[in-house]
Amino acid sequence: MTIHFENESKTELSLPLEEIAEAVINAALDYIGCPYEAEVNLLITDNEQICQMNREFRRIDRPTDVLSFPMIEYETAGSFDFLEEDAQAGDCFHPETGELLLGDIVISAEKVLEQAQEYGHSAKREYAFLIAHSMLHLMGYDHMEAGEAADMEQKQREILEGLGITR
């Protein structure tokens, strides 16, 4: 697995950010049963930049906690079977490493601290939660409908519990 990690935030999280990210990303891939080695880009930024990105890509003019940019369009969330059958699936793999290109995650460090305080848990738990949440998006899951939201919430909780990261 390859994680391209960048921290452009001026906000100090005082956490082993790369180590936590690697653990959560691996746990999410294992939980869903991804049969491939994967590549993920993770950017830690501040409210100003994530607001700009949110405005540009989602037409929402406010900071958000996390943005997910999947590289793959799934027929069924969490199912990678179509990659074996689809002739264009080769575009989903890095030409040199052969890793599955899942996509990009952008997290606001300021929101990590704000929401950790708001929800009464640690910054580590909030950071890990946002990564787990985004990884599910990168593997085709969404939460636009109540059933989808409940499914994602359960998966996020179980991924984090498997790592011993709880509220």
Side-chain angles (χ1 to χ4, degrees), residues 101-113:
L101 299 169
L102 284 179
D104 304 332
I105 301 171
V106 182
I107 294 175
S108 167
E110 290 171 280
K111 287 289 186 183
V112 168
L113 295 177

Side-chain angles (χ1 to χ4, degrees), residues 33-104:
C34 179
Y36 304 103
E37 289 295 315
E39 181 176 315
V40 175
N41 300 310
L42 174 59
L43 171 65
I44 311 301
T45 190
D46 288 316
N47 283 346
E48 183 179 335
Q49 185 177 5
I50 209 165
C51 178
Q52 181 180 4
M53 295 173 85
N54 205 21
R55 184 172 45 248
E56 180 180 345
F57 295 106
R58 297 177 63 219
R59 308 278 190 260
I60 299 173
D61 192 15
R62 69 173 191 268
T64 188
D65 51 3
V66 64
L67 291 171
S68 308
F69 299 99
M71 296 291 290
I72 302 168
E73 195 169 315
Y74 294 84
E75 295 171 9
T76 303
S79 174
F80 302 91
D81 295 343
F82 73 99
L83 293 172
E84 299 289 329
E85 304 157 3
D86 189 345
Q88 296 179 353
D91 296 342
C92 298
F93 294 91
H94 191 286
E96 293 175 18
T97 66
E99 292 179 317
L100 183 63
L101 299 169
L102 284 179
D104 304 332

